[in-house]
């Protein structure tokens, strides 16, 4: 089994990544909340798991597909020890921008349920097999490289996104019974709305009308990390977005609720693995 990374913010290594995986290829057994600076498609083939995003949760079975938007915190909890067959596809934001047209918004599947909701749909068996076929071809193209591999990869990802969005247009986007405890969902909502303000346990206690220690314990039990760890990671994630938009590291520091640049720079380095300035330069290169 692979070990869980200590960072909660994951920078994608490539424009497009695709893996058809089983349990032997690793599973984040600590069940910690994390995000990617890009989009994710997760299709469960075999097994059973609970998946959580910022404010929502769903139990998944075969054929269930989750569309996670860029910079959205999420994690999964496996309910079927020894069985976890899935397809995981990640791609950077600039890739989606390149694939969309004026007539076709391929990003709809990542936002269709609204803020704070899990973007989920169920595929029938024919759709599962078609999704698997495209994914295996995409994985092979990315691995083998060679002439035309980049064009083929973009074409296959486009087919996957067209298929997913067509399912949504055909009303396959399914309502689900949420498994996120109400208090945890309300905690997410308050933090999201007041991220750059003071967010101590005493503040949350006053706003949510629950004991602060109880709020903290509930959050960690479900999400796998402490409230403080999430707030810091969430602020660093917002800083990533500001840096990618061209704001200076100093501006990004104070726009995200940090009051000291040295502390911000040190925390960002710990969370992302590179300094704010280097991250910004990396983002500029991906857009060239």
């Amino acid at each position: 089994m692979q070990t869980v990374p200590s960072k909660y913010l994951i920078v994608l290594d490539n424009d497009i990544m695709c893996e058809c995986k089983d349990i032997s290829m690793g599973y984040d057994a600590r069940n910690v909340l994390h995000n990617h600076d890009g989009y994710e498609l997760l299709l469960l083939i075999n097994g059973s798991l609970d998946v959580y995003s910022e404010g929502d949760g769903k139990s998944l079975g075969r054929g269930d597909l989750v569309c996670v938007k860029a910079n959205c915190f999420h994690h999964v909890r496996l309910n079927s020890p020894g069985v976890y067959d899935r397809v995981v596809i990640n791609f950077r934001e600039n890739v989606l921008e390149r694939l969309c047209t004026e007539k076709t918004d391929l990003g709809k599947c990542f936002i269709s349920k609204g803020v704070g909701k899990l973007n989920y749909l169920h595929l029938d068996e024919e759709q599962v097999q078609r999704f698997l076929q495209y994914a295996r071809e995409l994985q092979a193209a990315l691995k083998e490289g060679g002439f035309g591999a980049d064009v083929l990869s973009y074409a296959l990802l486009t087919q996957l996104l067209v298929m997913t969005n067509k399912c949504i247009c055909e009303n396959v986007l399914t309502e689900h019974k949420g498994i996120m405890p109400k208090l945890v969902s309300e905690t997410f909502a308050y933090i999201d709305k007041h991220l750059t303000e003071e967010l101590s346990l005493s503040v949350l206690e006053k706003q949510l009308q629950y004991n602060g220690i109880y709020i903290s314990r509930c959050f960690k039990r479900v999400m796998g990390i402490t409230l403080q760890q999430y707030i810091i990671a969430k602020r660093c994630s917002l800083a990533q977005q500001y840096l990618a938009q061209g704001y200076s590291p100093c501006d990004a520091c104070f726009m995200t609720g940090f009051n000291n640049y040295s502390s911000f720079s040190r925390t960002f380095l710990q969370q992302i693995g590179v300094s704010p300035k280097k991250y910004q330069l990396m983002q500029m290169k991906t857009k060239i």
Side-chain angles (χ1 to χ4, degrees), residues 132-188:
L132 260 175
Q133 178 185 342
Y134 291 149
R136 286 168 177 159
E137 292 177 10
L138 175 57
Q139 180 177 246
L142 293 169
K143 181 179 180 180
E144 295 168 5
F147 179 79
D150 56 341
V151 175
L152 182 58
S153 297
Y154 273 85
L156 288 164
L157 178 59
T158 301
Q159 287 182 296
L160 284 161
L161 289 172
V162 167
M163 173 186 170
T164 300
N165 281 280
K166 284 184 70 176
C167 286
I168 291 174
C169 293
E170 294 166 1
N171 299 315
V172 183
L173 188 66
T174 311
E175 292 296 329
H176 63 271
K177 182 179 180 180
I179 59 173
M180 175 78 75
K182 182 180 179 182
L183 177 58
V184 179
S185 179
E186 291 175 347
T187 302
F188 270 116

Side-chain angles (χ1 to χ4, degrees), residues 1-271:
M1 300 286 180
Q2 69 184 40
T3 57
V4 178
S6 59
K7 298 192 295 294
Y8 309 119
L9 308 179
I10 300 173
V11 179
L12 298 182
D13 295 326
N14 299 294
D15 280 352
I16 304 173
M17 303 167 66
C18 178
E19 292 182 294
C20 301
K21 311 167 81 172
D22 59 31
I23 192 68
S24 67
M25 298 177 71
Y27 163 63
D28 290 353
R30 284 194 336 188
N31 302 311
V32 296
L33 205 61
H34 67 283
N35 80 7
H36 311 274
D37 61 343
Y39 298 90
E40 177 170 304
L41 295 172
L42 168 64
L43 174 65
L44 184 61
I45 305 300
N46 289 305
S48 173
L49 70 152
D50 296 335
V51 60
Y52 295 92
S53 64
E54 298 178 54
D56 197 7
K58 169 75 172 68
S59 294
L60 302 186
R62 179 178 174 82
D64 288 335
L65 174 64
V66 176
C67 307
V68 183
K69 67 179 181 179
N71 303 298
C72 177
F73 284 83
H74 60 285
H75 82 103
V76 300
R77 178 172 295 152
L78 188 63
N79 297 324
S80 54
V83 181
Y84 186 23
D85 302 334
R86 72 277 194 195
V87 175
V88 183
I89 300 171
N90 297 98
F91 53 95
R92 290 174 173 156
E93 293 183 81
N94 64 298
V95 172
L96 183 62
E97 292 172 3
R98 174 176 171 178
L99 297 181
C100 291
T101 68
E102 291 185 6
K103 292 183 178 180
T104 306
D105 179 10
L106 293 176
K108 181 180 178 181
C109 58
F110 299 100
I111 59 173
S112 54
K113 294 282 282 187
V115 177
K117 291 294 184 180
L118 195 66
N119 292 287
Y120 146 84
L121 60 152
H122 180 75
L123 304 183
D124 63 30
E125 193 57 33
E126 185 276 329
Q127 291 167 333
V128 168
Q129 293 303 321
R130 186 148 46 98
F131 194 102
L132 260 175
Q133 178 185 342
Y134 291 149
R136 286 168 177 159
E137 292 177 10
L138 175 57
Q139 180 177 246
L142 293 169
K143 181 179 180 180
E144 295 168 5
F147 179 79
D150 56 341
V151 175
L152 182 58
S153 297
Y154 273 85
L156 288 164
L157 178 59
T158 301
Q159 287 182 296
L160 284 161
L161 289 172
V162 167
M163 173 186 170
T164 300
N165 281 280
K166 284 184 70 176
C167 286
I168 291 174
C169 293
E170 294 166 1
N171 299 315
V172 183
L173 188 66
T174 311
E175 292 296 329
H176 63 271
K177 182 179 180 180
I179 59 173
M180 175 78 75
K182 182 180 179 182
L183 177 58
V184 179
S185 179
E186 291 175 347
T187 302
F188 270 116
Y190 184 82
I191 291 173
D192 186 63
K193 188 175 292 186
H194 302 275
L195 182 62
T196 62
E197 304 169 16
E198 181 186 352
L199 285 171
S200 64
L201 282 184
S202 60
V203 169
L204 291 172
E205 186 174 79
K206 180 179 179 180
Q207 296 297 325
L208 301 178
Q209 300 296 303
Y210 280 89
N211 178 273
I213 295 176
Y214 178 71
I215 295 172
S216 181
R217 286 176 178 171
C218 288
F219 187 91
K220 185 174 182 180
R221 184 175 66 248
V222 177
M223 294 301 141
I225 65 174
T226 67
L227 270 170
Q228 185 65 15
Q229 288 171 325
Y230 171 67
I231 291 167
I232 290 173
K234 180 75 172 176
R235 286 173 172 169
C236 285
S237 176
L238 181 59
Q240 283 180 285
Q241 297 171 59
Y242 283 138
L243 290 168
Q245 293 169 22
Y247 288 95
S248 72
C250 186
D251 286 342
C253 165
F254 294 102
M255 291 168 70
T256 53
F258 289 92
N259 298 317
N260 179 281
Y261 183 78
S262 295
S263 175
F264 163 69
S265 182
R266 182 171 59 253
T267 302
F268 191 94
L269 176 61
Q270 292 171 344
Q271 290 285 330

